[in-house]
Amino acid sequence: MLSFECDYNEGAHEAVLRRLIETNNEQLPGYGSDKYCDLAKEKIKEACGKADAEVFLLVGGTQTNQIVIDTVLAPYEGVVCANTGHINVHEAGAIEYSGHKVLSLPHEQGKLKADVLKKYLEIFHSDDTKAHMVYPGMVYISHPTEYGTLYSLDELTALSEVCKEYDIPLYLDGARLGYGLMSSGTDVTLKDIARLCDVFYIGGTKVGALCGEAVVFTHNNAPKGFFTSIKQHGALLAKGRVLGVQFDTLFTDDLYFNISRHAIKMADKMREVFKRKNYKFFIETVTNQIFIVLENKKMEELKKYVSFSFWEILDSDHTVVRFASSWATRESDIDKLEELL
Amino acid sequence: MLSFECDYNEGAHEAVLRRLIETNNEQLPGYGSDKYCDLAKEKIKEACGKADAEVFLLVGGTQTNQIVIDTVLAPYEGVVCANTGHINVHEAGAIEYSGHKVLSLPHEQGKLKADVLKKYLEIFHSDDTKAHMVYPGMVYISHPTEYGTLYSLDELTALSEVCKEYDIPLYLDGARLGYGLMSSGTDVTLKDIARLCDVFYIGGTKVGALCGEAVVFTHNNAPKGFFTSIKQHGALLAKGRVLGVQFDTLFTDDLYFNISRHAIKMADKMREVFKRKNYKFFIETVTNQIFIVLENKKMEELKKYVSFSFWEILDSDHTVVRFASSWATRESDIDKLEELL
Amino acid sequence: MLSFECDYNEGAHEAVLRRLIETNNEQLPGYGSDKYCDLAKEKIKEACGKADAEVFLLVGGTQTNQIVIDTVLAPYEGVVCANTGHINVHEAGAIEYSGHKVLSLPHEQGKLKADVLKKYLEIFHSDDTKAHMVYPGMVYISHPTEYGTLYSLDELTALSEVCKEYDIPLYLDGARLGYGLMSSGTDVTLKDIARLCDVFYIGGTKVGALCGEAVVFTHNNAPKGFFTSIKQHGALLAKGRVLGVQFDTLFTDDLYFNISRHAIKMADKMREVFKRKNYKFFIETVTNQIFIVLENKKMEELKKYVSFSFWEILDSDHTVVRFASSWATRESDIDKLEELL
Amino acid sequence: MLSFECDYNEGAHEAVLRRLIETNNEQLPGYGSDKYCDLAKEKIKEACGKADAEVFLLVGGTQTNQIVIDTVLAPYEGVVCANTGHINVHEAGAIEYSGHKVLSLPHEQGKLKADVLKKYLEIFHSDDTKAHMVYPGMVYISHPTEYGTLYSLDELTALSEVCKEYDIPLYLDGARLGYGLMSSGTDVTLKDIARLCDVFYIGGTKVGALCGEAVVFTHNNAPKGFFTSIKQHGALLAKGRVLGVQFDTLFTDDLYFNISRHAIKMADKMREVFKRKNYKFFIETVTNQIFIVLENKKMEELKKYVSFSFWEILDSDHTVVRFASSWATRESDIDKLEELL
């Protein structure tokens, strides 16, 4: 059985596992105060080109979104995002659980466009009754988006400018950041993100780690008491080393970028296969996620040999499905896929 | 440098690590729906002697306490515990963050006694103004306690009976459960706990795992929507396999119990050393934590060669410190400690 | 200066005030346990034709929405409403503050239509990933809506049937309920509402009271511990009599209905005036709110003599404004308005 | 039947009611933006001797405590108080509902003493593990306390100094403030309170109003977005005039102080009666609350003719009960009480 179901089907990259084993018997202090966490943080700051960044290591994506958004927002503020945003759809209300409204705006291919944001902010601030409404206190975007699309540097810059104009922090969810940065279709670098966003996270879970996300506050702007807030949200790992060792490894010798590049290469190859076989793309993507329109009959047939994700019903005869590559995808599996199609 | 600072200074037991490596390349579904999670749950139910138990795997202790307490309580209820309870002191207000009051009662050597609980409940329910107060909706105990002490079977039974009388679920925090069960000074078994408590958790982080706690609802009494609540609290691991593989390993061939027994053997040996050297015990313990009263001068001297935890100031000349053993403690280190003392 | 700005510009109906004075010196128990609260509740149950209803008196509308929704929903559930719903727009995130997502759907003239709801529920329940999403646990509608429109009996029945099919409680926000019930354009009675909804509230603040909303759980279905939840939300009035006396008066000799009918008569008269003067209606309404499209120049001129509410910008030259009548509107003021127009 | 059960048994002072009637037909804007709210705020600032104070009018005491504490605290902070504090006992967990822990310390006659507070803060800040604990972010006291006692100026000054030393705001709950200020046994004035506290509230509900509490931030220190936070907590009154007119009246011609003085005069007279009749006082008080130890038999007898509050069981034969006077207490009722005793 072939699987292109998602990018978290395997464990960790072997180099990551190896370091966990090598360091396993060292006696290290808890709660992220060990040397591997320090090393990881320094290397991430270096990669971001931001000496004044503050880095924190957390376990999972929804957890990270909840803690970052809850601690950056004032209690009476909400977070603005595209209505397709992960926080708006697939996090079981984790943001609302923390007391904040998700203020959703129309998306364009999964992206929040600067002009849509600007218009919303203009209308909000000219509304006489705004004191009775939820204040927009942060802008959330994901890159790559839930649709596998990417912001161009121009788009990201424009968003950043609107945020600065309205003095609202810009937060980028990088659950699949590596796959965005290594795409052949991007002009955005990690340093650009660190420069244009106020806070973002570098996803580890989907890019080579067992678990772990690295939050980067880009200019000494971590909320006061952030460590205690992590504990308060139930997110502090006693053995912080588990995250430290993993991110230290991922950010040594460009491992994070190299394995991401592999995933993109595999995705590009898969895209070629689908094109050659005349499959219809639901949306154009340049990252590790590919959305294909399948006839339902064909879909049922294919399911017997290969696993992929249901995305949405297109019409009574067609379904949109998702194929994903990852750092662990084998080229031979794509050859097998081609044979099947 | 010797370290007896805590029971989470090392990584994972080698058998646990080995299984993570062996299973690393298997393609498994996410969010805890993989076969290793299933195996782990079955083995835990077996060990508990409870076919009707429901088991969930979470990442950390504070997280587990927050989710279990928040989902079992009605919104207007609070959780009763000894004032020394971890949830009352060292979880940064994680319970209150979820909206519930911690109703603390006086402790006796870290334990909540049945008569203290019963008296509190009697007074509460006879109070005319109780509808203006926080209702006690759950009882929380830790076993071993934060003071390293253990409930006897009589004590646990008595607590359970008071809880049943008042129809309040009894929850046991087993962050160090293995070290309680394998103590030579206990008459409480895992099956007793599964029989007498409504919900408890089996700590992995401090007993051989990289991370992970196994929550056991003992009689098909998991709260409705519990999976979604886990996600909502930011606690759902995409690669649930990481927890599944670890607990599957720990509950294969009694590994969890065997490594806990080792820790107790080491602690017993350490206790002997302290006795032989005429050190004063702050409290009598039979688990892996040992509390010693040190003259401050002596303490400063010792600190140069061995690390231990500050516990509390006793008087101007003396301090209480904690030495802990764990599954990873080497016998030779205790010999070295004896030489030092 | 004429004012048609809103329906809460004056104090209380004189009969309400009179009873507050008459009962002022009576020594009564606190927290809603006085005889006037009892009388009010009995009369409301009678008016609803529901002997098994449970009635609670609260102070304000947002408060009522927050408490009812928060206590009826399970913690992992959200509330479904039209995207124009008051809870979604003008309550400063009071629902999210209590931890729940507002699941907004497209509206039709301010109404949530049964087919829109049904389709949403169908899609939700057929989604494989629904356990990662916010469960719809309640349906919220307002009647009259924020646009001054009304559900027909057919529409309300259809909504109720969808809710029953999916076992989701239906909640009706009746901040302006009197003005809906007394409209000449309605076929819905208070008894219909009590029969078709699981919980609703009868607005007092906008219909003759100084403050106060009467929540009706229609079939012995008040959430457990509801009194304590009210206190916990900071909403319990020490002098509950203030609410009891007011609602007792409003539900004596049909006062609530009679003063609502007056407001409708005034609104109908105002509608005639606008028609005669060839003003353009933004939306057809049959309640006490009238939405008019004004040329901006005209609007500025009018503002000098009469106050009304800004509603929204229509285009660069036109603005939608709202005129409201109430129980306190004087017929002579409408005559003056006609002269002005 | 005589009643000394509490200080909220009657409606409002007649001057307050009269003003509500006189202003009833004025058309005023909503949400506290009317002229009576402005007048009330100015008069309160004047009475406090604080031109830079910011005043907000809320409806009830628990509501006020919840909003003030929740908005002043950072999300990871808790509020320190005496364990007898109203927020710790009789507010149904309203503070914890808003996410914050109540950090309770031992009381002395209902008071939090400066040395107890200072010692707690010293220990907290010297604790190595404090980042895992709830930070003390505010100090809450009540004046008069729940035991009817008062802080002396020295005591209040000492508390204020500790708070300043640790940069923690001091908040005073003045639900019965008038009865504290007019006590013959106090040396604390309203101006002292405004000078020594960062925020406090002047209770209206128990001192002549139908409902209402006036929050005073004493030095332009209202939390950002406070108006929106009020709405978000469900506490914004549409007809803010109801509070404005009441407080404007209470702070015109010293009405608030005069009616409070009457209550104290009545309480002093009652105290004389109890002394003459050789009743045993549970605690010495100088405000409107009197705590008497009654033999249970005597208590049952007395209950037939006079209502009072149960306070607590003293021993198997004796009970502590509370008699309260208020602005509405009639001197003749105390004469009747004397006859009964």
Side-chain angles (χ1 to χ4, degrees):
Chain A
M1 185 76 167
L2 295 172
S3 175
F4 299 97
E5 201 181 344
C6 66
D7 34 21
Y8 42 93
N9 270 160
E10 287 87 1
H13 188 274
E14 57 174 7
V16 169
L17 262 192
R18 197 185 318 125
R19 284 300 284 156
L20 282 173
I21 297 161
E22 289 168 359
T23 60
N24 189 57
N25 293 325
E26 294 180 30
Q27 290 190 314
L28 297 173
Y31 305 115
S33 59
D34 63 276
K35 64 184 175 192
Y36 296 107
C37 284
D38 289 346
L39 283 168
K41 290 173 183 188
E42 283 312 307
K43 288 175 186 173
I44 287 170
K45 285 162 69 173
E46 176 84 23
C48 291
K50 275 290 201 176
D52 60 341
E54 296 177 272
V55 182
F56 295 85
L57 305 180
L58 294 171
V59 176
T62 296
Q63 179 183 82
T64 300
N65 285 333
Q66 187 187 58
I67 295 173
V68 169
I69 292 170
D70 187 28
T71 56
V72 170
L73 289 180
Y76 60 93
E77 292 176 336
V79 57
V80 183
C81 72
N83 53 14
T84 48
H86 204 253
I87 56 169
N88 193 42
V89 183
H90 274 116
E91 300 195 350
I95 305 307
E96 291 83 1
Y97 178 75
S98 77
H100 303 282
K101 191 177 186 70
V102 176
L103 300 157
S104 66
L105 298 179
H107 76 104
E108 203 171 285
Q109 298 203 312
K111 292 188 273 186
L112 177 66
K113 301 304 288 283
D115 57 338
V116 172
L117 174 64
K118 191 181 168 88
K119 187 158 184 194
Y120 160 74
L121 292 171
E122 274 172 8
I123 290 173
F124 178 85
H125 285 288
S126 68
D127 191 323
D128 279 354
T129 66
K130 71 178 169 186
H132 297 251
M133 296 166 76
V134 177
Y135 273 69
M138 184 181 224
V139 171
Y140 164 99
I141 57 172
S142 38
H143 182 84
T145 69
E146 295 71 16
Y147 278 54
T149 52
L150 290 172
Y151 289 86
S152 70
L153 185 55
D154 279 354
E155 288 173 328
L156 194 60
T157 304
L159 272 176
S160 175
E161 280 168 6
V162 174
C163 286
K164 279 193 176 60
E165 186 185 339
Y166 284 90
D167 198 21
I168 294 178
L170 178 60
Y171 170 45
L172 183 148
D173 175 335
R176 295 185 167 100
L177 190 57
Y179 304 142
L181 295 173
M182 292 300 108
S183 165
S184 52
T186 191
D187 58 350
V188 172
T189 66
L190 181 57
K191 287 192 170 75
D192 289 330
I193 288 170
R195 181 173 50 85
L196 293 168
C197 298
D198 296 282
V199 50
F200 68 100
Y201 80 85
I202 302 170
T205 301
K206 288 169 180 162
V207 191
L210 288 174
C211 61
E213 325 292 325
V215 180
V216 183
F217 289 95
T218 58
H219 45 85
N220 274 330
N221 57 329
K224 214 185 152 199
F226 193 69
F227 178 90
T228 300
S229 292
I230 292 173
K231 179 86 180 182
Q232 182 195 38
H233 284 73
L236 190 65
L237 215 52
K239 294 179 179 169
R241 65 194 292 156
V242 174
L243 303 173
V245 168
Q246 291 189 94
F247 273 101
D248 179 37
T249 309
L250 288 168
F251 279 82
T252 298
D253 298 335
D254 287 338
L255 181 62
Y256 187 77
F257 303 98
N258 292 336
I259 66 178
S260 296
R261 192 179 294 114
H262 170 77
I264 293 299
K265 206 177 134 193
M266 294 300 102
D268 287 345
K269 187 180 163 96
M270 227 186 317
R271 265 186 283 268
E272 283 308 308
V273 168
F274 283 115
K275 269 179 204 157
R276 265 202 300 278
K277 299 287 185 180
N278 290 314
Y279 279 79
K280 197 182 157 209
F281 291 79
F282 174 63
I283 193 172
E284 290 289 324
T285 65
V286 288
T287 61
N288 72 317
Q289 299 185 80
I290 301 171
F291 299 89
I292 298 291
V293 177
L294 290 181
E295 260 188 294
N296 291 347
K297 223 173 116 183
K298 178 80 187 171
M299 180 175 70
E300 293 308 323
E301 184 62 21
L302 216 52
K303 262 190 190 170
K304 295 176 194 160
Y305 310 103
V306 55
S307 66
F308 43 81
S309 292
F310 166 85
W311 194 252
E312 64 182 67
I313 291 166
L314 191 68
D315 58 41
S316 54
D317 294 328
H318 296 83
T319 302
V320 183
V321 301
R322 186 191 70 175
F323 289 76
S325 72
S326 81
W327 56 275
T329 302
R330 283 166 300 222
E331 194 156 0
S332 58
D333 281 359
I334 299 177
D335 295 335
K336 286 181 201 152
L337 176 66
E338 181 159 21
E339 288 167 37
L340 272 171
L341 291 176
Chain B
M1 184 78 166
L2 295 172
S3 176
F4 298 99
E5 201 181 343
C6 67
D7 35 21
Y8 42 92
N9 270 160
E10 287 87 3
H13 188 273
E14 59 174 4
V16 169
L17 263 192
R18 198 185 317 126
R19 283 300 285 156
L20 282 173
I21 297 161
E22 289 168 359
T23 60
N24 189 57
N25 293 324
E26 293 178 30
Q27 289 191 314
L28 298 173
Y31 304 115
S33 60
D34 63 277
K35 63 182 174 192
Y36 296 107
C37 285
D38 289 346
L39 282 169
K41 291 173 182 187
E42 282 313 307
K43 288 175 185 174
I44 287 170
K45 285 163 67 173
E46 175 85 23
C48 293
K50 275 290 203 177
D52 61 342
E54 296 176 272
V55 182
F56 295 85
L57 305 180
L58 294 170
V59 175
T62 296
Q63 181 184 81
T64 301
N65 286 333
Q66 186 187 59
I67 295 173
V68 169
I69 292 170
D70 188 28
T71 56
V72 170
L73 290 181
Y76 61 93
E77 293 175 337
V79 57
V80 182
C81 73
N83 52 15
T84 48
H86 204 253
I87 56 170
N88 193 42
V89 182
H90 274 114
E91 301 195 349
I95 304 308
E96 291 83 1
Y97 179 75
S98 77
H100 302 283
K101 191 176 187 69
V102 176
L103 301 157
S104 65
L105 297 179
H107 76 105
E108 204 170 286
Q109 298 203 311
K111 293 189 271 188
L112 177 65
K113 301 304 289 281
D115 57 339
V116 172
L117 174 64
K118 192 181 168 88
K119 186 158 186 194
Y120 159 75
L121 292 170
E122 274 173 8
I123 290 174
F124 178 85
H125 285 289
S126 68
D127 191 324
D128 279 355
T129 65
K130 72 179 170 187
H132 296 251
M133 297 164 76
V134 177
Y135 272 69
M138 183 181 226
V139 171
Y140 165 99
I141 57 172
S142 39
H143 181 86
T145 68
E146 293 73 15
Y147 278 55
T149 54
L150 289 173
Y151 288 86
S152 70
L153 186 54
D154 279 355
E155 287 173 329
L156 194 60
T157 304
L159 272 177
S160 175
E161 280 168 6
V162 174
C163 286
K164 281 197 173 58
E165 186 185 339
Y166 283 90
D167 198 20
I168 295 179
L170 178 59
Y171 170 44
L172 183 147
D173 176 336
R176 296 185 166 98
L177 190 58
Y179 304 141
L181 294 173
M182 290 302 106
S183 165
S184 52
T186 191
D187 58 351
V188 173
T189 66
L190 181 58
K191 288 192 167 75
D192 289 330
I193 288 170
R195 181 174 49 84
L196 293 169
C197 298
D198 296 281
V199 50
F200 68 99
Y201 81 84
I202 301 170
T205 301
K206 288 169 178 160
V207 192
L210 288 174
C211 62
E213 325 291 326
V215 181
V216 184
F217 290 95
T218 57
H219 45 86
N220 274 330
N221 57 329
K224 213 184 152 197
F226 193 69
F227 178 90
T228 301
S229 292
I230 292 173
K231 179 86 180 182
Q232 182 195 38
H233 284 72
L236 190 65
L237 216 51
K239 294 180 179 169
R241 65 196 289 157
V242 174
L243 303 174
V245 168
Q246 291 189 94
F247 273 101
D248 179 36
T249 309
L250 287 169
F251 279 83
T252 298
D253 297 336
D254 287 338
L255 181 62
Y256 188 77
F257 303 99
N258 293 336
I259 65 177
S260 296
R261 192 179 295 114
H262 169 78
I264 293 299
K265 204 176 135 195
M266 293 301 101
D268 287 346
K269 186 180 164 96
M270 229 187 316
R271 265 185 285 269
E272 283 309 308
V273 168
F274 283 115
K275 269 180 205 154
R276 265 202 301 279
K277 300 285 184 181
N278 290 313
Y279 279 80
K280 198 182 157 207
F281 290 79
F282 174 63
I283 194 173
E284 290 289 325
T285 65
V286 289
T287 60
N288 72 317
Q289 298 185 80
I290 301 172
F291 299 89
I292 298 292
V293 177
L294 289 182
E295 260 187 295
N296 291 347
K297 225 173 114 182
K298 177 81 187 172
M299 181 175 69
E300 292 307 322
E301 183 64 18
L302 217 51
K303 263 189 191 172
K304 295 175 192 160
Y305 310 102
V306 55
S307 65
F308 44 81
S309 292
F310 165 85
W311 194 253
E312 64 181 68
I313 291 166
L314 191 68
D315 58 41
S316 53
D317 295 326
H318 296 83
T319 302
V320 182
V321 301
R322 187 190 71 176
F323 290 77
S325 72
S326 82
W327 58 274
T329 303
R330 282 166 301 222
E331 194 155 2
S332 58
D333 280 359
I334 300 176
D335 295 334
K336 285 182 203 154
L337 176 67
E338 181 158 22
E339 286 168 37
L340 271 173
L341 291 175
Chain C
M1 184 78 168
L2 294 173
S3 175
F4 298 99
E5 200 182 343
C6 67
D7 35 21
Y8 42 92
N9 271 160
E10 286 87 2
H13 188 273
E14 59 175 3
V16 169
L17 263 192
R18 197 186 317 123
R19 283 299 285 155
L20 282 173
I21 297 161
E22 289 168 359
T23 61
N24 188 57
N25 293 325
E26 293 180 30
Q27 290 190 313
L28 298 173
Y31 305 114
S33 60
D34 63 276
K35 65 183 174 193
Y36 295 107
C37 284
D38 289 346
L39 282 168
K41 291 173 183 188
E42 281 313 308
K43 288 175 186 173
I44 287 170
K45 285 163 68 173
E46 176 83 24
C48 292
K50 276 289 202 177
D52 60 342
E54 297 176 272
V55 182
F56 294 85
L57 305 179
L58 293 171
V59 176
T62 296
Q63 180 183 82
T64 300
N65 286 334
Q66 186 187 60
I67 294 174
V68 169
I69 292 170
D70 187 29
T71 56
V72 169
L73 289 181
Y76 60 94
E77 292 177 337
V79 57
V80 183
C81 72
N83 52 14
T84 48
H86 204 253
I87 55 168
N88 193 43
V89 183
H90 275 114
E91 300 195 350
I95 304 307
E96 292 83 1
Y97 179 75
S98 77
H100 302 282
K101 191 175 187 71
V102 176
L103 300 157
S104 66
L105 298 178
H107 76 105
E108 205 170 285
Q109 298 202 314
K111 291 189 272 187
L112 177 66
K113 300 303 289 280
D115 57 340
V116 172
L117 174 64
K118 191 182 169 87
K119 186 158 185 194
Y120 159 75
L121 292 171
E122 274 172 7
I123 290 174
F124 178 84
H125 285 289
S126 69
D127 191 324
D128 279 355
T129 65
K130 73 179 169 186
H132 296 250
M133 296 165 77
V134 177
Y135 274 68
M138 184 182 224
V139 171
Y140 165 99
I141 57 173
S142 40
H143 182 86
T145 69
E146 294 73 15
Y147 278 55
T149 53
L150 289 173
Y151 289 86
S152 70
L153 185 54
D154 280 353
E155 288 173 328
L156 194 60
T157 304
L159 271 177
S160 175
E161 280 168 7
V162 175
C163 286
K164 279 195 175 59
E165 185 185 340
Y166 284 90
D167 197 21
I168 294 178
L170 178 59
Y171 170 46
L172 183 147
D173 175 337
R176 295 185 167 98
L177 191 56
Y179 305 142
L181 294 173
M182 292 300 107
S183 165
S184 52
T186 192
D187 57 351
V188 173
T189 66
L190 181 58
K191 288 192 168 76
D192 290 329
I193 288 170
R195 179 173 51 83
L196 294 168
C197 298
D198 297 281
V199 50
F200 68 100
Y201 80 84
I202 302 170
T205 301
K206 288 169 179 160
V207 192
L210 289 174
C211 61
E213 325 293 325
V215 181
V216 183
F217 289 95
T218 58
H219 45 86
N220 274 330
N221 57 329
K224 210 183 154 200
F226 194 68
F227 178 89
T228 301
S229 292
I230 293 173
K231 179 86 181 183
Q232 182 195 38
H233 284 72
L236 190 65
L237 216 50
K239 294 180 179 168
R241 67 196 289 158
V242 173
L243 303 173
V245 168
Q246 291 189 94
F247 274 100
D248 179 37
T249 309
L250 287 169
F251 279 82
T252 298
D253 297 337
D254 288 337
L255 181 62
Y256 187 78
F257 304 99
N258 293 335
I259 66 177
S260 297
R261 192 179 294 113
H262 169 78
I264 293 299
K265 205 175 134 193
M266 294 300 102
D268 286 345
K269 186 180 166 96
M270 229 186 316
R271 265 185 284 269
E272 283 308 308
V273 168
F274 283 115
K275 269 180 205 156
R276 265 202 300 280
K277 300 286 184 180
N278 289 314
Y279 279 80
K280 198 183 157 207
F281 290 79
F282 174 64
I283 195 172
E284 290 290 324
T285 65
V286 288
T287 60
N288 72 316
Q289 298 184 81
I290 301 171
F291 299 88
I292 298 292
V293 177
L294 289 182
E295 261 187 293
N296 292 346
K297 224 172 115 183
K298 178 82 188 172
M299 180 175 70
E300 293 308 321
E301 183 64 21
L302 217 52
K303 262 188 190 171
K304 295 175 193 161
Y305 310 103
V306 56
S307 65
F308 43 82
S309 293
F310 165 84
W311 194 252
E312 64 182 68
I313 291 166
L314 192 67
D315 58 41
S316 54
D317 294 327
H318 296 84
T319 301
V320 182
V321 301
R322 187 191 69 177
F323 290 77
S325 73
S326 81
W327 57 273
T329 302
R330 282 166 301 222
E331 194 154 1
S332 58
D333 281 358
I334 298 176
D335 295 334
K336 286 181 202 153
L337 176 66
E338 181 157 21
E339 288 167 36
L340 272 172
L341 291 174
Chain D
M1 184 76 165
L2 294 173
S3 175
F4 299 98
E5 201 183 343
C6 66
D7 35 21
Y8 42 92
N9 270 159
E10 286 88 2
H13 188 274
E14 59 174 5
V16 169
L17 263 192
R18 197 185 317 124
R19 282 300 284 155
L20 282 173
I21 296 161
E22 289 168 0
T23 61
N24 188 57
N25 293 326
E26 294 179 30
Q27 290 189 314
L28 298 173
Y31 305 116
S33 59
D34 64 276
K35 65 184 175 192
Y36 296 108
C37 285
D38 289 346
L39 283 169
K41 290 174 183 188
E42 283 312 308
K43 287 174 185 173
I44 286 170
K45 284 162 70 173
E46 175 85 24
C48 292
K50 275 290 203 176
D52 61 341
E54 295 176 272
V55 181
F56 295 85
L57 305 179
L58 294 170
V59 176
T62 296
Q63 180 184 81
T64 301
N65 286 333
Q66 187 187 59
I67 295 173
V68 169
I69 292 170
D70 188 28
T71 56
V72 169
L73 289 181
Y76 60 94
E77 292 176 337
V79 57
V80 183
C81 72
N83 53 14
T84 48
H86 204 254
I87 56 169
N88 193 43
V89 183
H90 273 114
E91 300 195 350
I95 304 307
E96 291 84 2
Y97 178 75
S98 77
H100 302 283
K101 190 175 186 71
V102 176
L103 300 157
S104 66
L105 297 179
H107 76 104
E108 204 170 285
Q109 298 203 315
K111 292 189 271 186
L112 177 65
K113 301 303 288 283
D115 57 340
V116 171
L117 174 64
K118 191 182 169 86
K119 186 158 185 195
Y120 160 74
L121 292 170
E122 273 172 8
I123 290 174
F124 178 85
H125 284 289
S126 68
D127 192 323
D128 279 354
T129 67
K130 71 179 169 186
H132 297 249
M133 297 165 76
V134 177
Y135 273 68
M138 183 182 224
V139 171
Y140 165 99
I141 57 173
S142 39
H143 182 86
T145 69
E146 295 73 15
Y147 278 55
T149 53
L150 289 172
Y151 289 86
S152 69
L153 185 55
D154 279 354
E155 287 173 329
L156 194 60
T157 304
L159 271 177
S160 175
E161 280 168 6
V162 174
C163 286
K164 279 195 175 60
E165 186 185 339
Y166 284 90
D167 197 22
I168 295 178
L170 177 60
Y171 170 44
L172 183 147
D173 175 337
R176 295 184 167 99
L177 190 58
Y179 304 142
L181 295 173
M182 292 300 108
S183 165
S184 52
T186 192
D187 58 351
V188 173
T189 66
L190 182 56
K191 288 191 169 76
D192 290 329
I193 287 171
R195 180 174 50 85
L196 294 168
C197 297
D198 296 283
V199 49
F200 68 99
Y201 81 85
I202 301 170
T205 301
K206 289 169 178 161
V207 191
L210 288 173
C211 61
E213 325 292 325
V215 181
V216 183
F217 290 95
T218 57
H219 45 86
N220 274 330
N221 57 329
K224 214 185 150 198
F226 193 69
F227 178 89
T228 300
S229 292
I230 292 172
K231 180 86 180 183
Q232 182 195 37
H233 284 71
L236 190 66
L237 215 52
K239 294 179 179 169
R241 66 195 290 157
V242 173
L243 302 173
V245 168
Q246 291 189 94
F247 274 100
D248 179 37
T249 309
L250 287 169
F251 279 82
T252 298
D253 297 336
D254 287 337
L255 181 62
Y256 188 77
F257 303 99
N258 292 336
I259 65 177
S260 295
R261 192 178 294 114
H262 169 78
I264 293 299
K265 204 176 134 192
M266 293 300 101
D268 287 345
K269 187 181 165 96
M270 228 187 317
R271 265 185 284 269
E272 283 308 308
V273 168
F274 283 115
K275 269 180 206 156
R276 264 201 303 278
K277 299 288 186 179
N278 290 314
Y279 279 80
K280 198 182 155 208
F281 290 79
F282 174 64
I283 194 172
E284 290 289 324
T285 64
V286 288
T287 61
N288 73 317
Q289 299 184 78
I290 300 172
F291 299 90
I292 299 290
V293 178
L294 288 181
E295 260 188 294
N296 291 347
K297 224 173 116 181
K298 177 81 187 173
M299 180 175 71
E300 292 308 321
E301 184 63 20
L302 216 52
K303 263 188 188 171
K304 294 176 194 161
Y305 310 103
V306 55
S307 66
F308 44 81
S309 293
F310 165 84
W311 193 253
E312 64 182 67
I313 291 165
L314 191 68
D315 58 40
S316 54
D317 295 328
H318 296 83
T319 302
V320 182
V321 301
R322 187 191 69 176
F323 289 77
S325 72
S326 82
W327 58 274
T329 303
R330 282 165 302 221
E331 195 155 2
S332 58
D333 280 359
I334 299 176
D335 296 334
K336 285 182 202 152
L337 175 66
E338 181 159 20
E339 286 168 37
L340 271 172
L341 291 176

